[in-house]
Amino acid sequence: MRRKLLQHITIFLLLVASTARAQENNFLERLIPRDFTVQYAGGIGMFSAGINYPMANNKLDLSFLYGHVPPKFGGKLNKITTKFQYNPFDIRITENISLRPVNPVFFLSFTLNRNHHLIWPRDQYGAGYYWWNSAMRWHLGLSSEVRFHSFEKTIFSYVAAYIEANVQDMYLYARLDNPDYFTFYDVMYIGTGIRFGIKNPSRRHQEE
């Protein structure tokens, strides 16, 4: 009786361990990025690049980007950006081309520079001297994207080109506070970029 009980317990623990291991492997596999972005301009650096995680059946995108502004173009500045994008429409134009015409975006950009402060130095500025910080900005915008699919026997699952227009919080405040002086064109950032997906290795082997 005792031996039988021990056998049942051992089998149960092995099943739990194998299930946990499978879930762990699945979670770790999801963390491996397979979507990448390269962008020019757009308020997050003159040049930026990063990784992208599609979620909710490709209705949402979470991106992490690193951007750089060279010294001769107003830098030397480095920026880290976390971007959320909602994709309400995915229109199939042809078998291999799709269009995402209007995609709302929200993102936070953080400037890595000793002259940009998340908290102002207390020895230079008293508490509450500035109500805003100079390091972190939030942005609202819209993007439009065209995607090309069906890259057989290549590493790419898709390649996309997009254009994005956004405005950051301080510029938006300036526009709303001085509507006769600033137009939305004056306070808007325009960026363009390329996204591409890398196929899962097992899928590439199946195609070959």
Side-chain angles (χ1 to χ4, degrees), residues 13-195:
L13 291 176
L14 288 173
L15 287 173
V16 170
S18 62
T19 302
R21 181 65 179 272
Q23 291 178 344
E24 180 183 0
N25 290 339
N26 189 38
F27 175 74
L28 292 176
E29 185 176 346
R30 290 181 180 180
L31 290 180
I32 299 174
R34 303 200 186 280
D35 290 59
F36 302 87
T37 300
V38 178
Q39 180 172 313
Y40 171 73
I44 59 174
M46 186 172 181
F47 304 100
S48 58
I51 58 177
N52 177 55
Y53 292 97
M55 300 182 295
N57 293 322
N58 294 318
K59 288 293 185 181
L60 296 174
D61 285 309
L62 172 62
S63 302
F64 301 97
L65 300 107
Y66 174 81
H68 178 70
V69 180
K72 66 178 181 180
F73 293 103
K76 180 180 179 181
L77 296 177
N78 298 295
K79 292 191 173 187
I80 297 174
T81 300
T82 301
K83 181 184 294 188
F84 299 90
Q85 177 172 298
Y86 174 52
N87 310 304
F89 310 107
D90 196 343
I91 303 170
R92 207 73 176 189
I93 305 299
T94 69
E95 183 180 355
N96 299 326
I97 301 175
S98 63
L99 176 67
R100 294 178 172 181
V102 181
N103 311 302
V105 294
F106 168 78
F107 54 97
L108 294 171
S109 63
F110 186 83
T111 302
L112 303 171
N113 184 281
R114 63 181 181 180
N115 295 321
H116 290 73
H117 306 285
L118 187 61
I119 300 175
W120 294 99
R122 294 297 177 85
D123 58 341
Q124 298 181 35
Y125 308 97
Y129 187 86
Y130 289 117
W131 60 268
W132 49 276
N133 71 80
S134 60
M136 183 175 289
R137 303 269 65 84
W138 59 260
H139 302 243
L140 291 174
L142 293 171
S143 73
S144 184
E145 177 181 311
V146 59
R147 288 195 169 203
F148 303 90
H149 308 268
S150 298
F151 292 87
E152 295 183 1
K153 297 184 179 180
T154 72
I155 65 172
F156 299 106
S157 58
Y158 74 89
V159 176
Y162 68 91
I163 186 169
E164 178 185 279
N166 73 81
V167 61
Q168 53 116 309
D169 54 342
M170 292 303 296
Y171 285 178
L172 181 60
Y173 175 80
R175 167 65 178 86
L176 296 177
D177 195 45
N178 302 277
D180 297 330
Y181 187 77
F182 292 106
T183 67
F184 275 110
Y185 179 79
D186 294 326
V187 300
M188 191 171 294
Y189 291 107
I190 302 292
T192 185
I194 295 174
R195 291 192 182 96

